[in-house]
Amino acid sequence: MKKHDVSPKSGEQVDDSEQEVHAQKMVSLGHFTQAIVHDIRNALHVVGSASTLIERRTDDAAIHHHVNTIHKTIGRTNDLIERILSFANNSEEHLGIIDLPHSIDESIQHARPMFPAGISMEWQRPLQEMHILGDDGQIYQVILNLLKNAIEAIGRDNEGSITMNLRKVYPWAEIRVKDSGPGIDVAVIGRLLDSGFTTKPDGNGFGLANVAAIVKKHSGTIQIVSNPGEGAEFILLLPLLPELNE
Ligand SMILES: Nc1ncnc2c1ncn2[C@@H]1O[C@H](COP(=O)(O)OP(=O)(O)O)[C@@H](O)[C@H]1O
Ligand SMILES: [Mg+2]
């Protein structure tokens, strides 16, 4: 018999089949959420593109102001969507065998539109496959959050560079994300992964907490390095699947 994580209260009967039904409901909820999120994202994209077209056709300052409000609201809604998605993804167990370089390729592809013109990105990856027990959706959230933070650290209107590096440091897959931003104040470096910790006026402090939760779920570790004037570097170690990486 399987062991329950939570023991039933006195007089309550919780059996395996009930847990099975609950697990299936959570999986359905996850799929349902992803389908809706997909539609909402597409709708926001249409609204954003249409308002940009309106903006281009006029010099009217009031219209520019209102369109700016629309774009800001779309940005905030997209942030909210990321949080809903991370909840849906994390609330079910779907770790499987994935090829990490390929998973990061796709994550970067999805994150591309977010890159401002002045910030370049270099992606250094091995050519061979690197298998881990993981989840592509969660890897995407990790990469997205790290890239978003790197862009915000450099500043959307500034010039800068980000390097993403993946290599095999057996028995680990090592991901490094380094930026040319101002780096991290030593006084706060220990609090970066805390949920709700932010130094940004419009930040929410959930990004790195989410990254930490996902890395933990993948049995990995995070190290943060920041030397004065050298930007910030996030080093993630995720365990490789031994039988496929000898
Ligand atoms: N690449 C980076 N360079 C400098 N500081 C960073 C970087 N990434 C994260 N931080 C710091 O960590 C804090 C928490 O990040 P995060 O959890 O993503 O929340 P948010 O981005 O909403 O502030 C940020 O407010 C910032 O102070
Ligand atoms: Mg963030």
Side-chain angles (χ1 to χ4, degrees), residues 145-182:
N145 275 303
L146 294 178
L147 288 179
K148 196 161 172 270
N149 280 342
I151 291 171
E152 286 165 359
I154 295 168
R156 294 193 164 272
D157 300 324
N158 297 332
E159 304 267 311
S161 61
I162 301 170
T163 312
M164 169 112 58
N165 177 285
L166 172 67
R167 59 182 189 136
K168 199 184 272 188
V169 186
Y170 201 81
W172 304 99
E174 183 199 69
I175 305 169
R176 287 175 179 256
V177 183
K178 188 168 170 39
D179 64 65
S180 64

Side-chain angles (χ1 to χ4, degrees), residues 77-92:
T77 310
N78 274 323
D79 279 353
L80 191 63
I81 287 174
E82 285 307 326
R83 281 163 60 191
I84 294 173
L85 208 54
S86 79
F87 175 76
N89 281 334
N90 294 344
S91 63
E92 52 173 300

Side-chain angles (χ1 to χ4, degrees), residues 3-32:
K3 238 180 124 232
H4 299 300
D5 289 330
V6 183
S7 40
K9 291 191 196 97
S10 57
E12 226 179 302
Q13 283 295 320
V14 180
D15 60 24
D16 283 355
S17 66
E18 216 170 298
Q19 285 211 334
E20 185 61 29
V21 169
H22 177 72
Q24 277 175 13
K25 270 190 193 160
M26 291 310 285
V27 170
S28 307
L29 185 64
H31 291 158
F32 177 69

Side-chain angles (χ1 to χ4, degrees), residues 16-153:
D16 283 355
S17 66
E18 216 170 298
Q19 285 211 334
E20 185 61 29
V21 169
H22 177 72
Q24 277 175 13
K25 270 190 193 160
M26 291 310 285
V27 170
S28 307
L29 185 64
H31 291 158
F32 177 69
T33 310
Q34 276 174 357
I36 290 192
V37 156
H38 180 78
D39 286 349
I40 297 176
R41 269 199 185 131
N42 283 345
L44 287 177
H45 185 71
V46 172
V47 173
S49 308
S51 47
T52 301
L53 289 176
I54 294 172
E55 193 178 30
R56 285 199 193 135
R57 293 185 70 126
T58 176
D59 292 331
D60 189 325
I63 291 181
H64 279 253
H65 173 77
H66 291 312
V67 168
N68 191 24
T69 307
I70 293 175
H71 285 151
K72 275 193 182 147
T73 309
I74 290 175
R76 275 200 296 271
T77 310
N78 274 323
D79 279 353
L80 191 63
I81 287 174
E82 285 307 326
R83 281 163 60 191
I84 294 173
L85 208 54
S86 79
F87 175 76
N89 281 334
N90 294 344
S91 63
E92 52 173 300
E93 201 56 70
H94 40 191
L95 299 191
I97 298 174
I98 61 166
D99 174 30
L100 191 57
H102 178 73
S103 184
I104 299 179
D105 282 345
E106 298 220 309
S107 303
I108 293 175
Q109 201 60 36
H110 281 115
R112 281 262 181 236
M114 154 179 106
F115 270 78
I119 300 181
S120 65
M121 178 162 123
E122 195 180 335
W123 165 215
Q124 304 161 339
R125 82 193 289 287
L127 291 176
Q128 78 271 43
E129 298 187 339
M130 271 166 88
H131 293 106
I132 65 161
L133 199 56
D135 171 57
D136 289 322
Q138 292 178 37
I139 295 296
Y140 169 58
Q141 286 173 54
V142 167
I143 300 301
L144 182 76
N145 275 303
L146 294 178
L147 288 179
K148 196 161 172 270
N149 280 342
I151 291 171
E152 286 165 359

